[in-house]
Amino acid sequence: MTPFFSTDLSGQVALVTGASSGLGERFARVLAACGAKVALAARRKDKLDAIVADIVDTGGTAQAFELDMEDGDRIAEVVGEVEATLGPVTTLINNAGITDGRRAVNMTPDLIDAVIDTNLRGPYVLACEVARRLIARGSPGRIVNVSSIGAFICSKPGQSLYSITKSGIVRMTEVLAVEWAPHFINVNGIAPGAFRSEMTDKLVEKVGDFSPNLPRKRFAMPQQLDSTLLYLVSPSSEAVTGTIIRVDDGQYGR
């Protein structure tokens, strides 16, 4: 066994945003199953409570925190609440995000603000809040920012601003990795393709089932991201920072 190969997250406290469904819910469950204490954050507290109850029933440690990523003041409050309840946050999964669902010329200023604040500004503020506390304690940490394959390919009409914000997440990951490397805070990202999720289901409702047009004629499943997530939050990736891992099931060409 190599010295850095482990998925034992005992002693770690992980904060997962957008954890009320889809990939965020899956990430929270996987981290808890590997021994981390998990703070699940999202707007829908009722859904979080049900997930937390299930995690606790299966032997994990978790707690729910209501959080709207558009609320910058609340972001700092939540980190404080998590640390007062579960302990200092050592791992952040910046997963929350929304789609725009309209062509660029049809977007209202309020919708533009909501997409940018939720997908980019909020994650940046949250990453800085977590890093600030890690640096003050002299503790190492892991930050995983969830981008999208839309950051790298030309998006379809109706997803322009979403793609722009996810491209911003990629660059944010790269520059913060450089800034925080001396503090042993690893900042990496995952860029998923079309995975089965609540967001994908809503897209299918609007445009129809496009999975038959994908090379493998399927949407990938959230479980297929487990190994990537665990690699980035575990000792296995000790020397990896500033990297974006594309996980798209061969759906999009390079």
Side-chain angles (χ1 to χ4, degrees):
M1 185 69 69
T2 58
F4 292 102
F5 183 78
S6 173
T7 55
D8 181 2
L9 302 180
S10 300
Q12 303 301 312
V13 175
L15 169 57
V16 183
T17 65
S20 61
S21 66
L23 300 183
E25 176 184 349
R26 179 66 189 182
F27 293 157
R29 291 181 181 277
V30 169
L31 294 172
C34 289
K37 298 178 182 178
V38 182
L40 291 80
R43 292 175 294 182
R44 298 176 294 183
K45 181 69 160 45
D46 56 333
K47 289 185 175 291
L48 292 177
D49 287 338
I51 298 167
V52 165
D54 193 38
I55 290 174
V56 172
D57 285 346
T58 56
T61 301
Q63 188 156 336
F65 298 85
E66 187 173 352
L67 173 63
D68 186 338
M69 293 297 286
E70 295 183 62
D71 187 344
D73 293 335
R74 178 61 183 151
I75 288 172
E77 290 176 357
V78 164
V79 177
E81 290 172 9
V82 172
E83 298 204 339
T85 307
L86 298 175
V89 175
T90 59
T91 302
L92 168 64
I93 311 300
N94 245 332
N95 170 74
I98 59 174
T99 58
D100 42 84
R102 298 185 191 178
R103 291 176 181 267
V105 295
N106 295 329
M107 294 188 71
T108 65
D110 285 345
L111 180 55
I112 291 170
D113 287 344
V115 174
I116 292 175
D117 287 351
T118 303
N119 293 5
L120 185 57
R121 183 183 183 276
Y124 179 82
V125 172
L126 180 55
C128 290
E129 182 65 27
V130 170
R132 186 179 298 113
R133 292 166 182 256
L134 287 169
I135 292 168
R137 292 193 302 268
S139 302
R142 301 298 176 95
I143 296 175
V144 178
N145 299 315
V146 180
S147 179
S148 166
I149 202 66
F152 302 99
I153 65 170
C154 293
S155 63
K156 296 179 181 179
Q159 297 180 348
S160 297
L161 186 56
Y162 174 81
S163 294
I164 290 168
T165 57
K166 290 303 184 177
S167 182
I169 287 291
V170 169
R171 192 60 181 146
M172 181 183 96
T173 299
E174 294 169 340
V175 298
L176 293 183
V178 172
E179 184 167 325
W180 297 337
H183 303 286
F184 293 90
I185 300 172
N186 286 14
V187 187
N188 291 294
I190 302 173
F195 276 73
R196 178 61 70 186
S197 68
E198 185 177 71
M199 185 181 293
T200 302
D201 291 343
K202 289 180 179 179
L203 181 61
V204 167
E205 289 178 5
K206 290 183 178 180
V207 305
D209 183 7
F210 57 93
S211 61
N213 300 323
L214 300 174
R216 292 180 174 172
K217 317 260 183 228
R218 68 180 186 182
F219 295 121
M221 301 302 293
Q223 300 93 309
Q224 292 169 313
L225 283 171
D226 292 357
S227 58
T228 305
L229 173 73
L230 290 175
Y231 172 66
L232 292 178
V233 301
S234 71
S236 301
S237 59
E238 176 71 21
V240 179
T241 192
T243 293
I244 307 293
I245 300 179
R246 295 169 53 149
V247 187
D248 65 9
D249 199 35
Q251 294 165 356
Y252 301 98
R254 300 300 191 267

